Amino acid sequence: MTNAQKASTALLDWYDDNARVMPWRVPPADRIAGQRPDPYAVWLSEVMLQQTTVAAVTGYFIRFTARWPTVQALAAAPDGAVMGEWAGLGYYARARNLLKCARVVSENHDGKFPDNYDDLMELPGIGPYTAAAIAAIAFDQPEVVVDGNVERVMARLFDISIPLPTAKPALKAKAASLTPKHRPGDYAQAVMDLGATICAVRTPACGLCPVSDHCDARRAGTAPDLPKRTPKKPKPTRRGIIYLAQNQTGEWLLERRPDKGLLGGMLGWPTSDWTDAPRDEPPFAADWKIESGEVRHTFTHFHLILSVRTAIAPADCTPSTGFFLPKTVFRPSDLPTVMRKAFVICRAS
Ligand code: SF4
């Protein structure tokens, strides 16, 4: 047995006893007994897990699959219902691509996900990582699945000090060298679990690690400092104004944001542009009150600070944007997080 085979075998043995329980996952004993994961569940979980933690995703996954138990059911859902259910999970382009992908699988693939990397890559919203993860986990294809946890484990096992992102190809090559032909789906999940639970970011628990005998960084004493990273540029801060208004009957003024761009397709309050010097252009003329609290929110590429204005619309008001939504239909949970923060400030005033 080669060293790589010994390491992957040790990881699989560890996974059989220590696999994390997740609602989209088939436990290793059931999988060995022949139970296959539902590709729909694997796909949905992998899309939700992009840039998001397991803890944050679990509730969303349970609600989604209770409401839309199959890819055909999801494909038939109204856009607004799916965007509303996704609200708060962030990175809203994922939700739009989720719907597009569900509709392509439902209409062009008879509701069945392709079982290989190349065909999965043809689907909307599926990139190299997600295609590899679905092919491996749902269809037991020996694809190389590399997320942040796997990068960390590989950097340490092979004591690679090249900083990320430059190190990505080298780390993927090392991950490929360990990926077994036997049980590749469970193996992919085993490395992710090891990175998430034992080979942790600052404090690897090497004494509990099933592959410590194969780990160069443990021997060299460099594990806590790996992987190295090229320092990121500081994020700029943009500013804006957000307008929360009700009409005379208590209906809220909301708008559906354009499909393209940040928070695309989501429900939200009207806002100014988000720049260094935003223009104060409210959706209707009124005596707008400046609230004392500010919304602070961080997106991938910038920090945002929003000043909050509130008003009651005059009876004959025709806003320049949006529509008044009846109180009985309005659900704050349908709003993305940055919009909910503004609502909390408005309610507290
Ligand atoms: Fe990570 Fe330590 Fe295991 Fe190496 S021995 S893979 S550093 S937990």
Side-chain angles (χ1 to χ4, degrees):
M1 204 186 262
T2 64
N3 269 343
Q5 287 167 330
K6 283 181 193 161
S8 57
T9 302
L11 257 175
L12 277 168
D13 289 347
W14 170 82
Y15 180 72
D16 288 344
D17 294 331
N18 297 282
R20 289 181 292 170
V21 175
M22 298 175 188
W24 49 84
R25 188 179 262 187
V26 173
D30 294 345
R31 189 154 174 151
I32 290 167
Q35 187 180 333
R36 313 312 300 172
D38 176 359
Y40 170 62
V42 174
W43 162 73
L44 182 60
S45 65
E46 287 298 337
V47 174
M48 288 182 165
L49 286 165
Q50 291 164 10
Q51 322 275 346
T52 313
T53 63
V54 169
V57 161
T58 299
Y60 283 87
F61 177 87
I62 291 169
R63 285 192 293 278
F64 259 74
T65 48
R67 192 164 175 185
W68 301 297
T70 64
V71 70
Q72 290 97 332
L74 182 60
D79 291 28
V82 174
M83 300 309 284
E85 209 61 80
W86 193 277
L89 203 49
Y91 299 96
Y92 295 99
R94 293 182 298 170
R96 296 194 298 279
N97 283 327
L98 191 83
L99 257 179
K100 278 188 208 155
C101 184
R103 287 168 183 162
V104 169
V105 171
S106 186
E107 287 161 23
N108 301 353
H109 295 270
D110 202 21
K112 294 185 176 62
F113 279 86
D115 65 0
N116 63 84
Y117 178 91
D118 289 341
D119 291 342
L120 286 162
M121 280 290 287
E122 298 292 315
L123 297 173
I126 295 191
Y129 166 77
T130 308
I134 298 170
I137 297 169
F139 300 109
D140 237 3
Q141 302 283 338
E143 294 294 342
V144 184
V145 184
V146 185
D147 67 356
N149 284 322
V150 178
E151 284 178 340
R152 184 167 59 258
V153 173
M154 293 304 136
R156 289 172 173 174
L157 276 178
F158 296 96
D159 197 17
I160 292 174
S161 57
I162 306 165
L164 283 167
T166 310
K168 277 181 179 285
L171 297 175
K172 185 162 186 184
K174 293 299 184 189
S177 75
L178 292 186
T179 300
K181 297 269 183 288
H182 175 60
R183 298 178 64 195
D186 277 350
Y187 170 79
Q189 296 173 97
V191 192
M192 290 181 200
D193 279 15
L194 185 79
T197 59
I198 289 189
C199 196
V201 176
R202 267 174 288 278
T203 52
C206 301
L208 301 174
C209 178
V211 287
S212 61
D213 288 349
H214 308 276
C215 182
D216 292 343
R218 183 190 62 78
R219 273 191 290 275
T222 53
D225 301 326
L226 295 177
K228 304 260 188 222
R229 291 182 190 278
T230 306
K232 286 184 185 160
K233 286 186 197 148
K235 291 182 186 185
T237 297
R238 296 185 196 165
R239 292 183 173 274
I241 303 162
I242 189 163
Y243 305 98
L244 282 76
Q246 287 179 286
N247 65 13
Q248 302 286 318
T249 58
E251 298 175 328
W252 290 99
L253 179 62
L254 288 150
E255 62 179 11
R256 180 72 63 187
R257 295 180 65 86
D259 273 349
K260 289 217 180 327
L262 266 179
L263 311 177
M266 297 300 294
L267 207 57
W269 312 109
T271 75
S272 69
D273 49 353
W274 300 347
T275 62
D276 290 341
R279 288 165 301 191
D280 185 4
E281 292 176 339
F284 56 83
D287 185 15
W288 288 85
K289 177 185 170 196
I290 302 173
E291 300 294 342
S292 55
E294 287 180 329
V295 172
R296 288 174 180 264
H297 193 78
T298 296
F299 291 100
T300 312
H301 299 298
F302 65 95
H303 303 292
L304 178 65
I305 300 174
L306 294 174
S307 152
V308 181
R309 308 269 201 279
T310 56
I312 299 295
D316 58 350
C317 171
T318 307
S320 60
T321 182
F323 48 87
F324 284 104
L325 194 67
K327 281 197 291 188
T328 50
V329 180
F330 173 63
R331 295 192 314 170
S333 62
D334 285 348
L335 300 173
T337 305
V338 63
M339 299 290 170
R340 274 188 231 174
K341 288 179 182 175
F343 185 62
V344 169
I345 289 172
C346 170
R347 291 279 82 179
S349 72

